[in-house]
Structures are given as structure tokens and as C-alpha cells.
Amino acid sequence: MQGDVRTCLRQIHQLPVPTLDYLPLWLETLRRSLAADGVVALWCHAAGDPTEASDATCWYAPQAPVSACERLAASGWAMPPVAELQRSLSPGELLRGHARRSRGCPTALPTTFRRPPDLDRCLPDGDLLDVCLLPLLREAGVDTSAATPIGALRLLVSRRKSRPRFSAREVTAFETAAAEFTSAPERPNFPPLTAMTPPVPNLWPEASCNIGDDVAGTLVWHQRQPEWADPAALALMHRVWRPMPGRAWADACVVVQACQSLADELTLHPSDAVSPGVQVCKAVAVPGGTLHLHATHLCGMGGHTTERVRIALHLCVPPAIRLLQRLWETALTPVQREIAMRLLAGQSRSQTREACAIGVQTLKTHLSLMRSRLDPVRDASLLLGLGGSGATGNPDRT
């Protein structure tokens, strides 16, 4: 990714999606900019939400071993209640709990911010940056119907003990980036991509294993656990965890719980040759997007259904995230990527100028440079979207 990392992190906050949807992309961008080895995000849902318990702690730890997540889940440790954090944290304030090695001393510096050993095992054993904050609820224009608002957020970034310690500049950069969750973006959010033309699938290549791409996997469920699963399905099942004292696997993984609920629902349908095509579906909000699950009875010899259940999982990443990543791969500057994002989403040139605080001639200069820098073959769909009348029906863009 080219350009200023701080600007890229701010542009992620401008995406018209819930915080949980863009959190993995934000964490991965931050991890790479700090040359860190591991990141963890923990959160509690907003108080008063009817679908979630506000005191329930969830976490996303993409680099952590599964055994470490299971230990943390079985320990039963949880973040303080949201109401308690709201009393102790002022708007925009960060609660810091860094554990940094002093020069020449292999041990970590003492900290007053409580962090259980099971949480430390989810991160590399070197320098650790740790903050807790109250994120700003997403403003109007962001679709939060499929996601539960986050009431409290804790972010941890760590390096291995063999790596250099975090510098004072890196600590400041981490805290500055984290503090942006507590305030509204300096510029208005990108508009929703409903007006985008050409169709969304033509704006980027097919999904790969990169962060922010769609992920699809398949597993076979039998006797309340996965009997077989491909690597993508295993990764999706470990995507979000919750504390659950005792047995960690089945109860702590949110996606595993969803798989079990689908298998239980299928038992309500007769398992015979008359109804082999019965399908039950479920959608779960996870870090990175919405996970869609489709479960059917697995057929055996002769076409008769068996007790085994085939579950197809598909993580749908919001189009805004994929488009922003696509623009990161171009030779454009951060400002030019923002201009392209707004125009491709259907915003007029006057609205784009106002949002980016630039003049008419400056916008024309940027558009001219953008057309010269984009590849006419690889970036053909982007060039079409910037071409005026060929992209949208908005006459103000021609």
C-alpha cells in the first residue's frame, strides 16, 4: 500500500460500514505500519442493545494460536462493564496499559491496567501497546442494521521479544490512530455505494486470501462438532471468541455456535429421501463483514440423507472495503484515492470538492493526473467510473 498510512487509517474510518466490518482492515494496516507481529481487539456491545448482552466480551485475534484463545475463553476473564468504563473514561480519552521493556532490561515495565496472563498468551512476548476507549457510535448514513454497535473497544499491538522495542514515535502514532475511534472523521463519510456503476464485481479481481476479501469455506457437522472442514472454514470458525468458563471450543466460538444452531434446526426436518434438499440459513455479524451460513443434510448412498450436515460458509465483505483496497493498489495519492472513492460512489464533483476542501481547478488537475497514472487495462473499470457520463447518471459529473 502506497501513501501516508495515517491518511489511509483515517479513510478507513470514513467507510460507510459499521465499525466491526472495517476493524480487521484497520488492524492489519496498523500492524504493518508499526512492523508488529500480533494484534488483538476486544470489545463489549453498547448498553441497551436488545440482541446482545452489553457486558459480554468478544475478541478478534488473527495471529493468536487457537490454544491461547481457548485458554482465555476458559478463564472466564472479561472486560469491565460498559457502564463502568463510561464512568471512568471521558469522551475522547484513552486508558493506557502499555507494557514496554526498558533498555537493557528483558522484563516488562509495570502497568496498572489489568491484563490477565491468558490474554498475554494471545500476543507475542515482547513490547506491548494496550489502550481501551469508548468508540463513537456510527453516525447517520452508516447502515448498522446488521451489526451491533460497539460500546467499549480495547486494542493491543505487540512485537516479539527478539524485535526492537517500540519507539516513542511509534507509541504516539498508535495512540493517535486509536483515538480516532472516539471522534467523528475530519471529512464526511464516503457515500453508500448503491449508485456505483459499473456493477461492483467488475471493480476488482476475484477474491483471494488477502485481508478484506470474501472468504468461502465448507465443513461437515456431525455429533455437535465439525467432522471435516477445509482451511477457509476453520479460519472462519475461529474468527470471533467469547469468554466461556469450562469447555472452550463449542461455547466460545460464535461461528461454531451458529453452526450448531443450524444443525439443531435441521433435526426438525425429516431425514429421509423425501426432503433431501431442505436448507436452513443464518447470517452472523463478524469482524470483516457478514458471515452467511447455509446448512443441508448430507446425502449418502442411494440419495438418502444422513445425520451429517453440510454447512457452506461465505464471508461477504462490504463493497466499500474492497473498493478502497483496490484503490490502494493503484499509483494514486491518498487525496486522489478519496476523490475516486467519492466519484465512484455517485457523489457529484461539487460534493466531492466540498468534502475534500479543494477548488474546481485542483479537482480537474487531480482527475487529469489520475487518468494518466491508472493502467488502461488493469484499471479500466476505475477509469470508466471517473470518465463522467459513462459511470453514473449524475449530470454534474460530466
Side-chain angles (χ1 to χ4, degrees), residues 87-165:
R87 289 192 297 266
S88 59
L89 280 174
S90 302
E93 184 182 0
L94 299 180
L95 184 61
R96 298 167 177 82
H98 307 323
R100 303 180 62 213
R101 294 167 291 162
S102 60
R103 297 189 182 278
C105 178
T107 59
L109 295 175
T111 177
T112 57
F113 195 23
R114 182 172 180 269
R115 186 172 50 253
D118 298 293
L119 178 56
D120 286 336
R121 294 190 183 99
C122 294
L123 289 154
D125 55 358
D127 269 14
L128 175 64
L129 305 183
D130 182 4
V131 297
C132 185
L133 54 94
L134 299 176
L136 183 73
L137 295 181
R138 302 298 294 179
E139 52 278 339
V142 177
D143 180 16
T144 58
S145 58
T148 305
I150 294 178
L153 179 64
R154 188 169 179 179
L155 304 170
L156 303 98
V157 179
S158 181
R159 284 179 179 168
R160 298 188 184 93
K161 189 179 295 185
S162 59
R163 301 281 304 281
R165 64 196 295 266

